[in-house]
Amino acid sequence: ALRDMIELTTGELVLVEQNVANNPGRNVSLTYFSQDDGKAWIPSNVMDIGGKGDHAGSIEGTLTELRDGRLWILLRSYHGHFYECFSSDRGRTWTKPLPSAIKASGSPGILKRLESGRLVLLWNRFAENRPPRVGRREELSIAFSEDDGKTWSEPDVLLRLRGQRVSYPAVFERRPGELWVTVWQGATFIKLQENDFTPAISAGRSSEH
């Protein structure tokens, strides 16, 4: 399940993926680092949140490079939130996974740095009134951060299709401020403008999720 790969400001590549651990059987995450445009890859340490059984553990991560040079990864889990890890050596080693402040259903998000310098996150938020494994894949939200993920704009719902899935998002910035959003589960294609959402940030509307 390869969900994300980024090119660092140094020109190096970092790819996030997952593997299977045994005793008990669960998923774990790691990254691969390349200094030669993908000819050779160096694996990182394993990011393991434990668990047992089908889809247990951490899977389908997304990552970005922060302004201070660290890397930040958000890992899918069935615990009602993303887990997060940080790397200070460009993806060679990662900190122990800890719960992030971002509530999420058991489905992956996508995290990207935009030309404006903001971070954008698209994900299926956690449904408080449902069992954690069910989540809410019929609702896709978007939020922006001015401060490298410390705070986020109030999420806006991009898609809501009752009884259907709108999950596994991807975002591509075609030109500065013009975002193309697709979802694999839901076959939906959206073009949106960053400035249609971000004026609320400068007005002071921000929160943690």
Side-chain angles (χ1 to χ4, degrees):
L2 304 179
R3 282 287 296 156
D4 206 1
M5 180 175 69
I6 61 172
E7 182 178 7
L8 307 184
T9 53
T10 59
E12 297 152 319
L13 302 176
V14 181
L15 168 72
V16 58
E17 64 123 42
Q18 67 194 55
N19 210 331
V20 176
N22 297 313
N23 301 316
R26 65 196 183 282
N27 294 283
V28 297
S29 294
L30 69 156
T31 59
Y32 284 87
F33 171 87
S34 178
Q35 296 177 295
D36 55 8
D37 289 336
K39 296 180 179 68
W41 295 91
I42 302 169
S44 72
N45 63 303
V46 169
M47 292 165 274
D48 188 358
I49 67 172
K52 178 182 179 180
D54 176 45
H55 280 72
S58 64
I59 56 178
E60 296 176 333
T62 183
L63 75 162
T64 192
E65 184 175 12
L66 301 177
R67 293 187 179 104
D68 63 10
R70 294 180 301 156
L71 304 186
W72 180 33
I73 193 168
L74 294 176
L75 301 170
R76 171 188 169 184
S77 80
Y78 277 115
H79 296 174
H81 49 72
F82 291 121
Y83 274 79
E84 64 181 2
C85 301
F86 296 89
S87 173
S88 298
D89 54 11
R90 304 195 300 280
R92 291 173 174 84
T93 60
W94 292 88
T95 59
K96 178 182 177 181
L98 294 174
S100 77
I102 304 172
K103 295 181 179 180
S105 66
S107 54
I110 196 72
L111 178 67
K112 290 295 178 186
R113 173 80 64 189
L114 301 178
E115 289 292 327
S116 65
R118 298 183 179 102
L119 294 179
V120 62
L121 176 66
L122 292 100
W123 81 114
N124 303 107
R125 282 186 284 166
F126 179 68
E128 298 287 354
N129 60 341
R130 299 186 181 191
R133 277 192 66 87
V134 175
R136 184 181 283 175
R137 289 195 179 189
E138 66 267 29
E139 186 177 282
L140 181 69
S141 296
I142 188 171
F144 297 84
S145 176
E146 299 271 10
D147 55 10
D148 271 5
K150 296 181 180 66
T151 59
W152 293 87
S153 63
E154 191 69 25
D156 286 288
V157 177
L158 284 184
L159 291 169
R160 183 184 291 118
L161 296 177
R162 295 302 185 194
Q164 301 182 50
R165 292 185 174 187
V166 286
S167 53
Y168 283 83
V171 59
F172 171 66
E173 190 172 17
R174 180 171 179 264
R175 56 172 64 97
E178 182 183 301
L179 309 183
W180 289 8
V181 176
T182 64
V183 292
W184 172 51
Q185 291 184 337
T188 302
F189 307 89
I190 303 171
K191 182 175 74 173
L192 57 87
Q193 299 298 322
E194 178 184 359
N195 288 340
D196 289 340
F197 297 85
T198 52
I201 299 177
S202 58
R205 182 169 62 97
S206 64
S207 60
E208 293 184 350
H209 307 293

